[in-house]
Amino acid sequence: NVPRLDYTDSSCPALLLEPQRTNLMPQSEAIDLWSVKTGVTIEANTTETLSPEGLYNAAKLTSIDADPHFYQAINVTAEPHTMSFYVKGVGDSIGKVSRILFWYIGTATGTQTSHDFTLTGDWQRIQATTTPTGAGSLFFRLDFPAQNSVVGDEAYIYGVQVEAGSYATSYIPTYGSSV
């Protein structure tokens, strides 16, 4: 029974007020269970680094060819949807560009879009938004790295969230179904 406090902008807390949202990604921390993985191995719950949560529950990505990517499809409605996740580059992958791709299949309609981001050696929360013009299946694909990938590039990922809305809210973990 304690209100949520936000210390982001100073040491003096403010009330954290957010709209109610649902994380539509059924396995937000089990990236190794995503539908399709190509050119990348995914090690769940690596003990090599602490996640932003302070636990050893991040996934380690390792490229095994020049086009490492993985993706997951979810059902969406015709409104803005935002994908967010935490990522941290390792070694030679730091400074390389990665990409989120959104594309639609079946009855879902909209323009395929992408969002590029640069891997750093620190945890960063990446977010990108797309707006379907029709309900149906939306694919979220992560290309890691998207350019100049070599076998052995590594990164960590944690806390994937997909929510209906034009911006990301606080992370909501899921374990097999949307929450």
Side-chain angles (χ1 to χ4, degrees), residues 68-122:
H69 64 271
F70 53 100
Y71 55 89
Q72 179 71 35
I74 62 168
N75 290 322
V76 295
T77 55
E79 61 186 315
H81 283 74
T82 299
M83 177 185 197
S84 62
F85 57 90
Y86 294 89
V87 66
K88 177 181 177 181
V90 180
D92 291 339
S93 70
I94 294 173
K96 291 189 176 181
V97 174
S98 292
R99 178 175 297 131
I100 302 169
L101 294 169
F102 300 104
W103 78 96
Y104 307 89
I105 63 167
T107 58
T109 55
T111 304
Q112 178 176 319
T113 59
S114 66
H115 173 75
D116 289 353
F117 59 93
T118 302
L119 293 170
T120 69
D122 296 316

